[in-house]
């Protein structure tokens, strides 16, 4: 990579080349030259005709796509839009590879020795059977030097070439990772970045991702006479056209019908958000209503998936008056939106609910980035002498101290920040880029698994509500996003008293005395539990910390009826997360009922569910039915 090469373009070209290579490989395999071996093997005319028909389909699909891309590129250039496509950026982590020290991957004596041992071991294993006059049996998986679930199919062990291929790959990937760990003179952050980049590269280069190197795919191709490649080509082309990986059946879910279907009304609206009030399902409700602030980097219905998984429906059924903010996906009209606007929006939503129901205070929940913002909102209200507007605050996987913010920090060096700025010429960042970043954090599960299953094996997509939500991306205001990454992730200013301000008011988290409930996910790779825990160092009010099993999403969306996972409670004043865990008590299942008990301890007064507690009643002016139109805006 040259000094003036844009890392985004380098990463983009890398994946673009990979996908194009897969398409061309499929097309060439099924073209006239690819069919010649079938004729030479004596295949009858009807079978060859089936293969030829498959090849013709693949050829036409690829030609149609090439024409589509040419027309699309010309249109973008004509309108002055960026020709860069988010589909070319699914492995953004590769842009860091240009920073790797030269000679890092040079062969060492140990590597050469390991290669020889592996080669001789594989050959001896197969040669033993051949010399005995018997067909060599594939070695047992447990007997191999290295194992990986990507190569669990027996086809990877039945032929010495594929056995040697995948074992060599695993050996090299391990060698590269160890090379980074053994490098001297690196500061800890740089070492973490290199480890992440090498890991991402290793996952991308896995032989199971390539048509000609994957025996499982080759076997499927022969069995189906190439039909899997036709289906896979269509999946690939559809994803290239939309600029985003598909993870689930796009036709399986519809908002307002089988997702985000809890009954309610949009009762207030601004250019930045809609406020939804949900219809009560109990005769009386808690007097203090609940206002939920979901993250605007995703759609709010992560908390309102299917009825069995919906936190919103569950909370309503417990007798809580629930309000939820549905943020608008950014467009050019939001080019000047900054963090102050989101903090003002939270305060405005709180005040609107207080006025609508004629109550002095509300409970609040902030999820992820909206939880970070809620912390700032509470600090602003405290500085203004208005802290009593919020009865309690609950934080779902929300960070305020970003010193140990996890893998996302690998994307926050100056070069990455400049690159992100170049992707927002119209004042907003296309949500597909952010989705690509989160996918890259779990590349094996969220990128390459789908390359193999859906592009190469031609399998259909499952109907999975969580993955549908995950792919329903939102755009972000560029000014807010850039400042958020610089001020919080990079410079960690939120925990420095008065280092930041919002709407003219300095932010000091130590002034927050609001009773708080903090939930973290034990396996969270986006907001690591250690990072979330640090909120306990900065707030000064009563606090309960809870550690949930699983990660950023499943650790939150864990309904009691599912009977899954577990959670830990203990001494929230412990000096460290390690000490908390050491003294904590484990409980099976969902943590939602535990949170509900805590909420009741803050205020347990109940009132009849009537009047404006029921949105859309007589004389109540509403805007539209839930889930509203903002959540459907792309």
């Amino acid at each position: 990579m040259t000094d003036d090469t844009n890392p985004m373009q380098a990463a983009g070209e890398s994946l673009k080349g990979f996908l194009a290579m897969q398409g061309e490989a499929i097309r060439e395999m099924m073209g006239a030259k690819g069919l010649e071996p079938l004729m030479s093997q004596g295949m009858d005319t009807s079978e060859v005709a089936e293969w030829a028909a498959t090849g013709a389909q693949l050829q036409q699909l690829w030609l149609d796509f090439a024409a589509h891309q040419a027309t699309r590129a010309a249109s973008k250039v004509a309108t002055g839009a960026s020709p860069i496509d988010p589909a070319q950026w699914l492995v953004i982590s590769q842009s860091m590879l240009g920073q790797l020290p030269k000679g890092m991957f040079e062969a060492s004596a140990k590597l050469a020795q390991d290669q020889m041992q592996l080669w001789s071991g594989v050959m001896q294993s197969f040669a033993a059977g051949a010399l005995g006059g018997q067909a060599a049996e594939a070695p047992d998986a447990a007997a191999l030097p290295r194992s990986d679930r990507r190569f669990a199919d027996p086809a990877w062990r039945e032929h010495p070439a594929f056995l040697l291929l995948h074992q060599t790959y695993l050996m090299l990937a391990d060698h590269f990772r160890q090379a980074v760990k053994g490098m001297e003179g690196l500061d800890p952050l740089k070492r973490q970045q290199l480890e992440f980049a090498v890991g991402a590269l290793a996952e991308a280069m896995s032989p199971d991702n390539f048509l000609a190197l994957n025996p499982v795919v080759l076997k499927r191709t022969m069995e189906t006479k190439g039909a899997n490649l036709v289906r896979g080509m269509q999946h690939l082309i559809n994803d290239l056209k939309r600029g985003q990986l598909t993870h689930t059946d796009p036709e399986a879910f519809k908002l307002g019908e089988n997702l985000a279907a809890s009954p309610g009304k949009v009762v207030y609206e601004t250019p930045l958000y809609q406020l939804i009030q949900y219809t009560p399902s109990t005769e009386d409700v808690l007097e203090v209503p609940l206002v939920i602030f979901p993250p605007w980097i995703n759609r709010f219905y992560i908390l309102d998936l299917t009825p069995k998984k919906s936190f919103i429906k569950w909370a309503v059924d417990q007798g809580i008056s629930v309000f939820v903010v549905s943020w608008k996906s950014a467009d050019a009209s939001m080019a000047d939106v900054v963090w102050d606007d989101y903090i003002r929006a939270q305060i405005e939503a709180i005040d609107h609910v207080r006025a609508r129901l004629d109550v002095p205070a509300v409970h609040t929940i902030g999820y992820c980035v909206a939880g970070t913002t809620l912390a700032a909102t509470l600090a602003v209200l405290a500085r203004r002498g208005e802290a009593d507007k919020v009865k309690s605050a609950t934080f779902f996987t929300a960070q305020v101290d970003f010193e140990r913010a996890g893998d996302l920090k690998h994307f926050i060096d100056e070069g990455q920040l400049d690159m992100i700025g170049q992707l927002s010429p119209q004042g907003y960042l296309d949500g597909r880029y952010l989705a690509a970043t989160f996918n890259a954090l779990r590349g094996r599960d969220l990128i390459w698994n789908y390359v193999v299953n859906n592009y190469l094996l031609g399998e259909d997509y499952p109907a999975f509500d969580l993955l549908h939500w995950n792919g329903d991306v939102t755009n972000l205001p560029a000014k807010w996003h850039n400042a958020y990454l610089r001020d919080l992730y990079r410079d960690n200013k939120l925990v420095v008293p008065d280092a930041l301000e919002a709407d003219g008011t300095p932010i000091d988290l130590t002034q927050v005395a609001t009773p708080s409930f903090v939930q973290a996910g034990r396996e969270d790779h986006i907001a690591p539990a250690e990072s979330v825990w640090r909120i306990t160092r900065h707030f000064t009010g009563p606090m309960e910390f809870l550690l949930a099993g699983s990660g950023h999403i499943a650790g939150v969306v864990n309904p009691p009826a599912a009977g899954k996972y577990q959670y830990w409670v203990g001494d929230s004043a412990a000096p460290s997360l390690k000490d908390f865990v050491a003294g904590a008590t484990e409980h099976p299942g969902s943590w939602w009922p535990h949170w509900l008990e805590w909420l009741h301890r803050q205020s347990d007064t109940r009132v009849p569910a009537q009047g404006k507690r029921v949105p859309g009643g007589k004389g109540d002016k509403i805007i539209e039915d839930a889930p509203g139109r903002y959540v459907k805006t792309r």
Side-chain angles (χ1 to χ4, degrees), residues 230-548:
V230 174
R231 292 193 299 270
M233 178 74 86
Q234 189 61 68
H235 293 325
L236 170 62
I237 288 174
N238 288 342
D239 284 357
L240 286 171
K241 286 181 178 179
R242 68 193 291 262
Q244 185 181 353
L245 272 172
T246 298
H247 292 130
T248 187
D249 180 359
E251 304 300 324
F253 300 101
K254 188 172 182 180
L255 298 188
E257 294 184 7
N258 54 3
L259 286 181
S262 294
K265 307 290 183 183
V266 176
V267 297
Y268 185 65
E269 175 181 309
T270 77
L272 189 57
Y273 69 92
Q274 288 187 314
L275 182 64
I276 302 170
Q277 180 182 0
Y278 288 90
T279 304
S281 60
T282 55
E283 292 186 359
D284 56 25
V285 293
L286 288 177
E287 180 183 34
V288 181
L290 172 66
V291 184
I292 302 176
F293 299 108
W296 48 89
I297 61 176
N298 299 110
R299 307 287 179 175
F300 82 84
Y301 64 87
I302 183 57
L303 297 176
D304 193 26
L305 294 171
T306 56
K308 291 183 179 180
K309 297 180 181 178
S310 173
F311 176 83
I312 290 171
K313 182 182 185 303
W314 178 84
V316 169
D317 290 344
Q318 309 313 306
I320 301 175
S321 293
V322 177
F323 291 78
V324 173
V325 166
S326 174
W327 303 101
K328 183 180 179 182
S329 180
D331 55 26
S333 70
M334 296 170 61
D336 293 324
V337 169
V338 293
W339 203 28
D340 301 48
D341 296 291
Y342 286 102
I343 293 173
R344 276 194 295 266
Q346 289 193 343
I347 295 173
E348 182 183 33
I350 289 168
D351 286 341
H352 184 86
V353 173
R354 292 172 57 246
R356 176 176 172 82
L357 300 186
D358 192 22
V359 293
V362 302
H363 296 301
T364 55
I365 291 177
Y367 193 165
C368 189
V369 62
T372 305
T373 304
L374 178 60
T377 295
L378 296 175
V380 168
L381 290 174
R383 182 66 67 91
R384 294 175 177 176
E386 300 175 347
D388 57 355
K389 290 181 176 181
V390 178
K391 188 73 174 178
S392 75
T394 295
F395 297 88
F396 292 171
T397 64
Q399 304 172 94
V400 300
D401 188 328
F402 291 81
E403 182 180 358
R404 298 186 180 179
D407 286 343
L408 278 176
K409 292 196 76 170
H410 301 324
F411 301 95
I412 315 300
D413 63 23
E414 197 63 34
Q416 299 286 349
L417 292 173
D418 290 343
M419 171 187 63
I420 292 171
Q422 295 173 27
L423 294 171
S424 312
Q426 295 178 300
Y428 67 91
L429 180 68
D430 190 317
R432 292 173 294 180
Y433 290 115
L434 192 66
T437 301
F438 286 116
N439 285 345
L441 295 179
R442 294 176 56 199
R444 183 181 301 186
D445 294 328
L446 294 178
I447 297 178
W448 306 113
N449 177 57
Y450 291 90
V451 168
V452 174
N453 289 339
N454 301 116
Y455 296 167
L456 301 183
L457 293 175
E459 295 179 356
D460 292 329
Y461 296 102
F464 190 4
D465 54 357
L466 186 58
L467 288 178
H468 179 93
W469 166 85
N470 186 62
D472 192 1
V473 300
T474 57
N475 304 327
L476 302 178
K479 283 187 177 180
W480 165 80
H481 187 240
N482 190 280
Y484 184 79
L485 294 180
R486 292 179 186 275
D487 292 343
L488 276 66
Y489 266 94
R490 189 189 66 181
D491 299 336
N492 203 20
K493 290 182 179 180
L494 184 56
V495 294
V496 179
D498 297 348
L500 297 173
E501 66 173 39
D503 203 22
T505 302
I507 297 172
D508 180 359
L509 296 184
T510 64
Q511 295 198 14
V512 177
T514 304
S516 299
F517 184 101
V518 178
Q519 176 269 340
R522 185 178 61 172
E523 288 88 33
D524 196 331
H525 63 287
I526 295 175
E530 172 63 32
S531 184
V532 174
W533 164 263
R534 292 186 168 214
I535 196 173
T536 63
R537 297 182 177 182
H538 303 289
F539 285 10
T540 55
M543 178 173 294
E544 177 151 354
F545 181 88
L546 178 145
L547 183 64

Side-chain angles (χ1 to χ4, degrees), residues 533 543-547 567-574 579-587 594:
W533 164 263
M543 178 173 294
E544 177 151 354
F545 181 88
L546 178 145
L547 183 64
Y567 65 93
W568 292 263
V569 292
D571 181 10
S572 299
D579 292 317
F580 170 87
V581 171
T585 302
E586 180 179 342
H587 300 270
H594 182 87

Side-chain angles (χ1 to χ4, degrees), residues 109-143:
K110 184 180 185 304
L111 177 60
Q113 182 181 8
D114 289 346
Q115 286 176 317
M116 288 301 297
Q117 289 178 347
L118 177 62
W119 176 267
S120 61
V122 169
M123 289 300 101
Q124 288 175 8
S125 174
F126 279 89
L131 291 173
Q134 300 177 350
E137 294 185 1
D140 187 77

Side-chain angles (χ1 to χ4, degrees), residues 115-189:
Q115 286 176 317
M116 288 301 297
Q117 289 178 347
L118 177 62
W119 176 267
S120 61
V122 169
M123 289 300 101
Q124 288 175 8
S125 174
F126 279 89
L131 291 173
Q134 300 177 350
E137 294 185 1
D140 187 77
L144 296 176
R146 292 172 173 82
S147 62
D148 189 290
R149 60 184 174 86
R150 289 171 291 180
F151 310 108
D153 193 288
W156 287 100
R157 294 177 279 113
E158 291 171 348
H159 191 285
F162 291 116
L163 176 58
L164 187 62
L165 174 66
H166 88 264
Q167 284 292 306
T168 300
Y169 159 74
L170 292 175
M171 179 189 67
L172 290 173
D174 183 61
H175 172 76
F176 293 157
R177 292 188 181 98
Q178 294 304 319
V180 175
K181 292 181 179 180
M183 292 179 66
E184 299 179 355
L186 289 179
D187 65 74
L189 179 59

